[in-house]
Amino acid sequence: MKQFAAFVTKFAKPIVIIWCTLLVILAYLALQLPAKLQGDGFFYDGDHSYVTDELSETFNLPAKTIFVLFEDKTEEEINSALESLETIEEIQTITSPIGVEELNNNDFAYGLLEFDNTVVDYFPIIDELREKLGENNGISITGEPVISKDINLASQNDLIKAETIGLPIALIVLLLAFGTIVASLLPIFVGGATVVMTLGILTLLGDSVNLSIFVLNIVPMLGLALSIDFALLLINRYREERNTQSIEQSVQIAIQTAGRSIIFSALCVMIGLGAMVVIDVEIFMNIALGGTIVVLLAVLTGLTLLPATLILLGDRLNKGRILRIKPTASRWQKFAAFVMKRPITIIFVAVILLIIAMVPIKDIELTIPSTESLPTSYESRQTFDKLDEEFGIAENTPVFLLAENYDDWDTKEGREKIFDIQQQLLDDPMVDRVTSMFTVANIESAEMWEMANSNPQAPGVLDEVADNFIKEDKMYMVAYLNTTGATSEAQDFVRDWMDKDLGVDFALSGQAKFNQEIFDEIASKVLIAIAIIIVSTFFILMVAFRSILIPLKAIIMNILGLGATFGILVYIFQYGHFGLEATTLVLIVPVLIFCLVFGLSMDYEVFLISRIQEEYLKGATNTKATIDGLVSTSKIITSAALIMIVITGAFAFTDVMPVKQIGVGIAIAIAIDATIIRLMLVPSFMKLFGDWNWWLPFRKDTRPK
């Protein structure tokens, strides 16, 4: 680090020029990122995806459907509207509601626009649909592609809203920490540059990687908070050293000390991000990718751009003084002394508080976000709700069964197999009805099919029906469940059916299968991800602090803090407190918060323990080192935590529910970590274990005697 610090101070000006050039180029690219974001990231390459593609390619079934809702419209108006859409090449089929009883109800009617699986980008198509339909009151569109596009727009609006709320408050916190305008604006500039450059890099990757719309919120949330935290730590250490050292020496010492903490903190965060990759669901891959890039850039800008800018600014860093910062050491000294005197009492009270906060976890209910993620103020959400209310489009869940029979379906034995599968489905209490070649032809057995097929006038008709459901060795049928695809009962249904022996190879698809695959993939891999995080964090902290006990305590306390966070999230969102309507937690929220916060909270562990270790290695007793470390870092940890809480907590005022829950969850976790854990539990345990805190087998004590 010493040589690196010398390099940065020697080439400060070229470093700033290079970063500013990169910022301009990548800022231009960042503006194009929203157009490259598609879907909510809930994609898993399993049976659902395979069957959906196969049904589209082989049987010409639609891969996606857009609904056109008509309210108080005449037949002439409906025909005119649908005819105007015929010029859109990507539409495979247009189904009009005219003359179709099930597509009409009172003053409402709806048509269907169906697309095959060759369509990749629906956003331009949706823009064209809305342009052709115009601002005609009484005609609106909805469906998964439309809702996805509107969530994209809502995410962009949420980002602007969150930054508008969070950044000014973060600036106030920085002013309270530093007292001058220049010193307070510098972390925000570095954080903003880091986020913008990350978004630019993601734009470059967007052509080869499918990126979720939620990247637009989570990457800036993580990047801003971390970058500002890193900058706060380094600037604070620089200003401390500047009291007795030259500008260059102060910067070099800050890089060597605070820089070391920044690197270890970033490693902990990247472990949490990297562990998500084991869960083979697109949104986790996206966040791991975007998060890793933004953390790497935060470290690079924090250790090069920021110190180089400090060199160029010199003592102008203290220009624009607004506040005279009063020394707070005496107050923290009293607090530290209070903690040191009563470690057992403080540990008992803190742990009891955390356990009480965990109690609501027993009621946790997790779901995969769908239409509910979009605020009700958006037309596509209102249209979907009307369709469900008037036509019950979400009431019955279709499950598609695709089977392969290499002995040929178009034989007596093949048709008997088809009928047997149909009857097994109908015998299942979860199934309301089945659509198959037999039900469409209104034939009640395989024998009746053979008899009807022997009629010289019938074969042509039956063959035409069979051709709709059989293509070479493939056959499909549809079972409609008497519950929605989001329920656990629907997921249990597809799990049970995948274990059945039907005498042929088969696979299922539909919302129930999609949900089951996502749930099972996360459930089967989440413990692996957690194990990777815990084991890796342990070894990193063991190397950083040359201790066995410190990483063990850090991991246990983090788990306690995160457990309390999940309990509070259930209390707020599921129980419907603080003016919020009761809702379930989004499935990804606990996983994301655990992976992100486990690393983020290590920031404060590293900041605090690094300073304690620094004093301990100089020869101070464990108790004195703990007090001195707590006094010297408490203000900076509090300020850093406040900024993290403000930046992430600002997303509580956004509209997209998964983003709201993630933002609130991270803010709560950081608040618990920076107060109960870092300021109370950590110093209490440090006092309690004494010199055993620094025990490591086969290590010699090199401290001054």
Side-chain angles (χ1 to χ4, degrees):
M1 287 297 284
K2 193 172 184 179
Q3 290 179 331
F4 175 76
F7 173 83
V8 172
T9 54
K10 183 178 179 181
F11 297 100
K13 193 171 183 179
I15 287 171
V16 172
I17 291 171
I18 291 169
W19 276 115
C20 288
T21 304
L22 278 173
L23 176 59
V24 171
I25 295 169
L26 292 173
Y28 170 74
L29 293 171
L31 295 172
Q32 303 167 39
L33 180 62
K36 295 183 180 289
L37 303 179
Q38 291 278 346
D40 56 14
F42 282 89
F43 174 78
Y44 175 74
D45 190 12
D47 284 356
H48 170 76
S49 175
Y50 160 72
V51 172
T52 301
D53 287 345
E54 197 64 52
L55 291 175
S56 177
E57 290 176 10
T58 306
F59 295 93
N60 210 31
L61 266 63
K64 291 190 186 293
T65 301
I66 290 178
F67 300 87
V68 185
L69 180 65
F70 302 95
E71 186 175 357
D72 292 324
K73 293 297 174 184
T74 64
E75 289 189 5
E76 184 179 348
E77 289 172 319
I78 292 172
N79 277 328
S80 175
L82 294 178
E83 285 172 6
S84 71
L85 306 180
E86 291 176 356
T87 56
I88 300 177
E89 296 178 1
E90 292 85 354
I91 298 177
Q92 180 184 14
T93 310
I94 297 177
T95 302
S96 171
I98 295 173
V100 183
E101 185 179 347
E102 58 265 29
L103 302 183
N104 290 266
N105 185 36
N106 299 323
D107 296 326
F108 292 92
Y110 71 93
L112 303 171
L113 311 178
E114 296 173 338
F115 302 81
D116 62 27
N117 66 341
T118 61
V119 180
V120 176
D121 188 359
Y122 281 89
F123 287 8
I125 298 170
I126 293 164
D127 289 335
E128 190 175 356
L129 284 172
R130 284 172 167 163
E131 183 182 345
K132 288 185 178 295
L133 293 173
E135 299 296 326
N136 192 339
N137 289 331
I139 302 180
S140 55
I141 60 174
T142 192
E144 189 264 320
V146 187
I147 288 168
S148 178
K149 177 176 172 58
D150 285 349
I151 289 178
N152 183 302
L153 177 61
S155 295
Q156 294 178 54
N157 294 336
D158 281 355
L159 179 59
I160 294 169
K161 186 189 295 184
E163 288 179 347
T164 303
I165 295 168
L167 287 178
I169 301 175
L171 179 59
I172 292 170
V173 175
L174 288 166
L175 280 170
L176 291 172
F178 294 139
T180 67
I181 293 175
V182 176
S184 302
L185 286 174
L186 188 54
I188 291 178
F189 163 72
V190 173
T194 301
V195 168
V196 169
M197 287 189 285
T198 301
L199 298 180
I201 293 170
L202 288 174
T203 302
L204 292 173
L205 297 173
D207 292 326
S208 55
V209 178
N210 292 326
L211 294 175
S212 159
I213 53 183
F214 294 127
V215 166
L216 200 59
N217 295 114
I218 293 170
V219 168
M221 183 195 300
L222 180 63
L224 270 176
L226 261 184
S227 295
I228 293 174
D229 267 12
F230 289 167
L232 185 65
L233 179 67
L234 193 132
I235 292 172
N236 182 70
R237 188 57 186 262
Y238 163 77
R239 288 173 62 146
E240 281 183 23
E241 299 300 330
R242 187 68 186 95
N243 292 326
T244 57
Q245 307 286 345
S246 68
I247 291 170
E248 288 78 10
Q249 288 173 323
S250 298
V251 169
Q252 288 183 20
I253 293 171
I255 292 174
Q256 292 171 49
T257 54
R260 180 176 177 271
S261 297
I262 287 170
I263 290 170
F264 278 112
S265 298
L267 276 174
C268 290
V269 176
M270 284 191 284
I271 286 167
L273 290 164
M276 286 193 282
V277 174
V278 302
I279 304 173
D280 192 17
V281 177
E282 196 172 83
I283 190 167
F284 294 111
M285 307 285 188
N286 285 178
I287 293 170
L289 174 66
T292 301
I293 293 171
V294 82
V295 173
L296 279 172
L297 278 179
V299 173
L300 289 173
T301 55
L303 296 183
T304 57
L305 176 60
L306 177 59
T309 306
L310 290 174
I311 291 285
L312 297 182
L313 284 174
D315 288 331
R316 284 172 291 184
L317 181 72
N318 297 319
K319 285 215 166 184
R321 182 167 295 281
I322 292 179
L323 297 171
R324 290 284 171 192
I325 305 301
K326 295 179 181 178
T328 58
S330 61
R331 282 184 302 208
W332 287 113
Q333 192 87 31
K334 290 177 183 177
F335 174 78
F338 174 81
V339 173
M340 293 291 105
K341 284 180 184 176
R342 304 167 181 83
I344 295 175
T345 304
I346 287 173
I347 290 170
F348 178 78
V349 172
V351 170
I352 290 296
L353 286 173
L354 293 174
I355 291 173
I356 290 170
M358 289 183 199
V359 171
I361 292 178
K362 61 182 173 54
D363 298 322
I364 194 167
E365 187 178 345
L366 303 172
T367 56
I368 294 174
S370 56
T371 314
E372 295 78 17
S373 296
L374 187 65
T376 54
S377 57
Y378 283 79
E379 185 182 67
S380 59
R381 168 69 189 275
Q382 296 168 3
T383 303
F384 184 88
D385 290 344
K386 283 181 184 175
L387 278 168
D388 192 30
E389 182 182 342
E390 297 294 329
F391 299 95
I393 62 170
E395 287 178 4
N396 291 104
T397 299
V399 173
F400 295 86
L401 185 151
L402 178 68
E404 292 185 65
N405 179 21
Y406 302 106
D407 296 330
D408 194 2
W409 292 111
D410 193 21
T411 61
K412 179 181 178 183
E413 292 76 15
R415 284 186 281 270
E416 285 176 349
K417 282 183 182 177
I418 295 172
F419 187 78
D420 180 59
I421 294 170
Q422 172 192 297
Q423 290 309 110
Q424 287 191 57
L425 282 168
L426 287 171
D427 290 341
D428 195 300
M430 289 287 295
V431 177
D432 262 353
R433 67 184 192 281
V434 172
T435 298
S436 71
M437 55 186 273
F438 286 98
T439 59
V440 169
N442 200 24
I443 290 180
E444 296 179 359
S445 70
E447 291 76 15
M448 285 182 64
W449 184 285
E450 298 302 323
M451 290 173 58
N453 213 27
S454 63
N455 185 335
Q457 298 178 352
V461 177
L462 292 182
D463 288 345
E464 188 176 332
V465 172
D467 283 345
N468 290 328
F469 292 90
I470 298 172
K471 300 290 183 186
E472 297 179 355
D473 60 346
K474 294 182 175 65
M475 178 278 302
Y476 88 93
M477 63 180 65
V478 189
Y480 292 88
L481 307 187
N482 52 26
T483 185
T484 63
T487 61
S488 58
E489 291 81 8
Q491 293 175 43
D492 289 340
F493 170 84
V494 293
R495 285 190 194 98
D496 292 342
W497 265 81
M498 289 308 299
D499 290 336
K500 288 183 181 292
D501 182 7
L502 301 182
V504 291
D505 294 334
F506 72 99
L508 305 176
S509 73
Q511 187 189 3
K513 179 61 179 172
F514 167 77
N515 286 358
Q516 172 262 316
E517 286 181 335
I518 298 288
F519 265 92
D520 288 358
E521 173 64 14
I522 293 175
S524 65
K525 302 285 181 63
V526 70
L527 290 179
I528 299 173
I530 290 171
I532 290 171
I533 292 170
I534 290 174
V535 172
S536 302
T537 300
F538 173 82
F539 282 109
I540 285 177
L541 294 182
M542 185 182 73
V543 170
F545 300 122
R546 301 172 194 173
S547 166
I548 295 289
L549 272 177
I550 286 174
L552 277 176
K553 289 186 297 180
I555 289 166
I556 293 168
M557 286 185 286
N558 262 17
I559 291 171
L560 280 173
L562 284 165
T565 299
F566 298 147
I568 294 170
L569 279 177
V570 171
Y571 179 82
I572 292 172
F573 289 100
Q574 278 189 218
Y575 295 176
H577 288 97
F578 302 106
L580 292 173
E581 185 179 342
T583 183
T584 55
L585 289 184
V586 177
L587 175 63
I588 61 168
V589 167
V591 182
L592 279 178
I593 289 176
F594 187 95
C595 293
L596 290 174
V597 173
F598 204 94
L600 288 173
S601 61
M602 285 300 173
D603 274 1
Y604 310 123
E605 178 78 10
V606 172
F607 294 171
L608 175 57
I609 301 297
S610 291
R611 204 56 182 269
I612 295 173
Q613 184 189 40
E614 201 176 315
E615 298 302 320
Y616 186 75
L617 292 176
K618 289 177 183 176
T621 64
N622 177 76
T623 300
K624 187 176 187 310
T626 302
I627 292 173
D628 291 347
L630 192 62
V631 170
S632 60
T633 60
S634 291
K635 180 184 176 183
I636 208 67
I637 286 178
T638 305
S639 299
L642 275 173
I643 288 168
M644 186 81 76
I645 291 164
V646 164
I647 295 292
T648 58
F651 284 85
F653 301 98
T654 58
D655 296 321
V656 178
M657 187 54 70
V659 176
K660 184 194 290 280
Q661 291 180 353
I662 291 168
V664 171
I666 293 175
I668 292 169
I670 296 300
I672 290 172
D673 187 84
T675 53
I676 295 177
I677 292 176
R678 299 304 151 210
L679 297 182
M680 297 172 68
L681 285 178
V682 170
S684 295
F685 278 118
M686 292 297 291
K687 169 68 175 178
L688 207 59
F689 287 102
D691 288 334
W692 282 102
N693 286 298
W694 310 104
W695 178 77
L696 183 68
F698 313 113
R699 190 195 74 168
K700 290 182 179 180
D701 188 357
T702 57
R703 294 190 308 136
K705 299 298 180 184

